[in-house]
Amino acid sequence: MFGFNFGSNKSIVGLDIGSNSIKAVELQRSRGEVMVSHLGIELLASDIVVDSMIVDSGSVASAISKIFSEHAFKAKQVATSVSGHSVIVKKISMQTMDEPELGDAVRNEAAQYIPFDMSDVNVDYQVLSDNLDGPTIDVLLVAVKKDKILNYTNALQLPGGSRRSSILTLLLCRIATNTTTTLPPIQR
């Protein structure tokens, strides 16, 4: 199951790596409120990110470094999302069950919806149903090809890039469904 919180950190950077630019926003938590503390954007050449894949990791890492230094970002934790053909998001209905059973059941169910070899993807999910007493629940299923995550992680970990990153495959889906749970490690 996925979710978002600051953990023990007081700030986090949201990073959007697009085909034309990299945009960053630093959010800071103070007295229970979240505020924007820094914003930055760096334009990219058209051949650096193509079809949602980072082609030139060095240029992306340099652009991220430039945003952090020019706009005085202080957070070490970075959240980003991935998109494109390597990302599958599907709402499914499943029989209601306990959380430990649900994780295994979702992974088994995922195989029929994912057009990739299951060993090539990371799978995650979020229960969407408010009522967990009924016979079925709605689940948001997400699968991302491992090479896609590796592609983004490599750019974020190059010298000049951020050293601590989380690939949040469902950042926008989570916001759309208003869920607030803790992010576990990515399934490998």
Side-chain angles (χ1 to χ4, degrees):
M1 196 172 357
F2 63 90
F4 174 77
N5 68 29
F6 284 74
S8 62
N9 299 309
K10 292 188 178 191
S11 61
I12 190 167
V13 175
L15 193 64
D16 176 21
I17 301 173
S19 58
N20 298 317
S21 64
I22 296 176
K23 295 168 279 299
V25 59
E26 184 172 14
L27 301 176
Q28 200 162 27
R29 182 179 57 192
S30 177
R31 296 184 189 98
E33 293 186 9
V34 177
M35 299 175 290
V36 173
S37 58
H38 298 94
L39 291 168
I41 187 168
E42 185 66 25
L43 298 178
L44 297 174
S46 61
D47 59 345
I48 293 176
V49 178
V50 179
D51 292 331
S52 299
M53 287 297 285
I54 297 171
V55 177
D56 185 347
S57 295
S59 292
V60 169
S62 294
I64 293 168
S65 180
K66 186 175 179 184
I67 290 172
F68 271 62
S69 64
E70 287 185 0
H71 298 281
F73 282 76
K74 294 176 180 62
K76 301 295 182 208
Q77 189 72 21
V78 176
T80 189
S81 63
V82 294
S83 64
H85 303 295
S86 298
V87 180
I88 305 295
V89 179
K90 175 105 175 127
K91 180 179 165 186
I92 60 173
S93 292
M94 297 186 65
Q95 180 180 344
T96 301
M97 59 188 78
D98 293 331
E99 187 62 38
E101 296 174 283
L102 184 60
D104 291 335
V106 167
R107 284 169 192 63
N108 291 334
E109 186 81 8
Q112 67 180 308
Y113 299 105
I114 298 170
F116 310 118
D117 187 308
M118 291 301 291
S119 65
D120 293 339
V121 296
N122 289 338
V123 176
D124 206 353
Y125 68 95
Q126 175 67 47
V127 175
L128 299 175
S129 299
D130 290 331
N131 180 4
L132 303 179
D133 296 328
T136 62
I137 56 173
D138 289 331
V139 175
L140 188 63
L141 169 69
V142 176
V144 181
K145 289 190 82 171
K146 290 178 181 179
D147 63 344
K148 177 76 161 195
I149 291 175
L150 184 61
N151 179 251
Y152 274 65
T153 303
N154 285 341
L156 291 169
Q157 292 179 344
L158 283 173
S162 172
R163 300 206 189 289
R164 297 190 65 204
S165 63
S166 299
I167 303 294
L168 303 178
T169 59
L170 292 176
L171 181 59
L172 295 177
C173 294
R174 187 186 60 257
I175 290 169
T177 59
N178 294 317
T179 59
T180 54
T181 57
T182 303
L183 180 69
I186 293 174
Q187 303 295 320
R188 295 198 188 265

